[in-house]
Amino acid sequence: MKKIFFPAFKKGDNIKVNEILSEEKETKPPARYNEASLIKELEKKRVRYKSYKS
């Protein structure tokens, strides 16, 4: 990545804008649970259900 150095600005200084670039980014949701990871997470949070224990 190219480093860009800016001159010192003071409050009230006028600056000239040559170009404005906009990037659209999206966040990704967390991965879905599979059966094993769900049980592990439930046990870690101390949630106990007889139905998932054999």
Side-chain angles (χ1 to χ4, degrees), residues 26-31:
E26 295 182 15
T27 58
K28 293 183 180 179

Side-chain angles (χ1 to χ4, degrees), residues 3-21:
K3 290 186 178 183
I4 301 173
F5 296 97
F6 293 101
F9 294 112
K10 295 178 195 165
K11 186 175 181 176
D13 285 351
N14 292 323
I15 59 170
K16 181 181 174 187
V17 177
N18 296 328
E19 184 178 11
I20 297 175
L21 300 176

Side-chain angles (χ1 to χ4, degrees), residues 3-5 7 11-15 19 21 23 25 28 31 33 35 37-39 42-43 48-52:
K3 290 186 178 183
I4 301 173
F5 296 97
K11 186 175 181 176
D13 285 351
N14 292 323
I15 59 170
E19 184 178 11
L21 300 176
E23 290 184 22
K25 295 187 178 185
K28 293 183 180 179
Y33 289 110
E35 187 176 352
S37 64
L38 178 60
I39 290 172
L42 289 172
E43 288 176 344
R48 305 258 181 213
Y49 289 102
K50 292 178 185 176
S51 60
Y52 73 79

